Amino acid sequence: MNRKLSTTTGDQIETEESTLQFFSETIEVNRLSALAFFEAGEESFAGQRYYWQNREKTFTLVGLGHAYTITSQSEEQRFDEVEQQWKKLTRNVVTNDQAIQPILFGGFTFDPENGVSGEWEGMPQAFFAVATYQLVMRNDHVYISTNYFAEQENPHAFEQLCKKRDELMHTAQVKALKTYAKPQVKSSFEPYKEEYLESIKQVTSLIRQKEADKVVIARSLALQFEESVSSPNVLSQIILEQPESYLFGLELQDKLFFGASPERLVKVEKSYAYSSCVAGSVKRGKNAEEDEKLGQGLLNDAKNRSEHQYVVDMIGNTFKENCSNYDIPSQPKLLKIRDIQHLYTPVEGHLKNNATILQLVKTLHPTPALGGVPRKRAMEVIRKYEPMNRGYYAAPIGWLDAKGNGEFAVAIRSALLYQDEAFLYAGGGIVADSDPQSEYEETLVKFRPMIRALGGQLHD
């Protein structure tokens, strides 16, 4: 029952899909650990799992196995292709529970035009999956859906799937969840450190020449472990360390992309859209008094307020175009998480009839907080001066259901795990008066959540 769909095969998809039906059965179960369910799939579904939990901790999603995947290698049409295939796929859903919708989970690369090879080699520009076994935890209820695709209903095949589902549930409920020790870091290095520092000089020079207003430049940090590190281990660490963030993990072949992001890109619930303007940051204080002083300094800092306003203006314009009415507060407030505090302005509005979550994702990505202003020129500068490929870092990751509801976070505070290596990513907004050393130190603060989760050394 593992069917794969590539959005690049044109008419073949239309012919194949016209004969397929989407079968889904949902049962409500006694409360169990979402991480234990993820871990239960270690033997049978390693490389085909995902994990998601929203910032409010009211919605948790786990997927085991690939009942269906949608990928795209298109530079220009990847958002549209994923949306079109998902709509086709969910036209004929046979389900016993209309309340629990089949869910598509995945993400996009930051920049499909980036040709730099490296740790992201071979990853599609868009990857989404319908899980064979989908766990949804919503408030105090837990549901497990079994999904499969066939030309017609196959009771025998479905019986086998349900038998496997029951085995996974039993393992998750009865077998004690492992207690994971933090990974042991053998060594670390900073790829392209000198190139990064030089890029800040080059980009500030361009901005002073009025070629752009702001450009976000990122860099990476690599960790080498004593031995291979498992996906459940990594997820258990970020769940413990960063509970106030969006928590996500997406297995891509033999790699895990994971993170703890503070930033919502967009959420849609019953045709109402929500977004977050998050830009401008400072570290947390060592005590409440210092923390308050740093926060007030951030609220009154001209550079950070200007950087934040770029994001507010861009997201505000997107909501103006896609919503019949919308609301934006006139002043930002502080978003405080464990290692860092940000300027934060929430945006919300009622969507027009033709607006969809993936069209909003397409329009919003990348926001000025991750790309720059103006967007097109900033992306050109990033391609020229940023020595690495961001892959899925700083790009949209999240989910949508068959009724158009869903939520995407911006995949920052993230890392790519591959066996006994991890690549961490962080960046910052460069403007005319940016200083290379100050920007470098800001990235160190942004690395902290992933360094801590992965057992690396923190230096204040």
Side-chain angles (χ1 to χ4, degrees), residues 132-189:
T132 304
Y133 303 103
Q134 167 192 300
L135 177 144
V136 169
M137 232 178 238
R138 186 177 284 128
N139 299 319
D140 292 326
H141 296 275
V142 182
Y143 307 90
I144 295 178
S145 299
T146 304
N147 302 315
Y148 77 103
F149 297 82
E151 294 181 1
Q152 60 184 13
E153 192 167 6
N154 186 331
H156 176 70
F158 186 69
E159 182 181 341
Q160 293 303 112
L161 287 172
C162 290
K163 184 177 180 181
K164 181 64 175 179
R165 175 202 64 197
D166 294 343
E167 291 174 0
L168 292 165
M169 286 171 47
H170 180 267
T171 299
Q173 290 171 330
V174 174
K175 187 177 178 181
L177 186 65
K178 292 181 181 177
T179 301
Y180 291 99
K182 284 194 175 182
Q184 295 295 309
V185 176
K186 182 165 63 176
S187 62
S188 65
F189 67 99

Side-chain angles (χ1 to χ4, degrees), residues 385-401:
Y385 293 102
E386 194 174 271
M388 67 176 192
N389 191 331
R390 297 190 190 184
Y392 285 51
Y393 161 68
I397 188 166
W399 64 274
L400 64 156
D401 68 18

Side-chain angles (χ1 to χ4, degrees), residues 196 217-220 388 393 424-428 442-444 446-447:
Y196 166 80
I217 297 295
R219 70 184 189 96
S220 61
M388 67 176 192
Y393 161 68
L424 288 59
Y425 307 94
E442 182 178 322
T443 62
L444 293 177
K446 294 175 178 177
F447 279 134

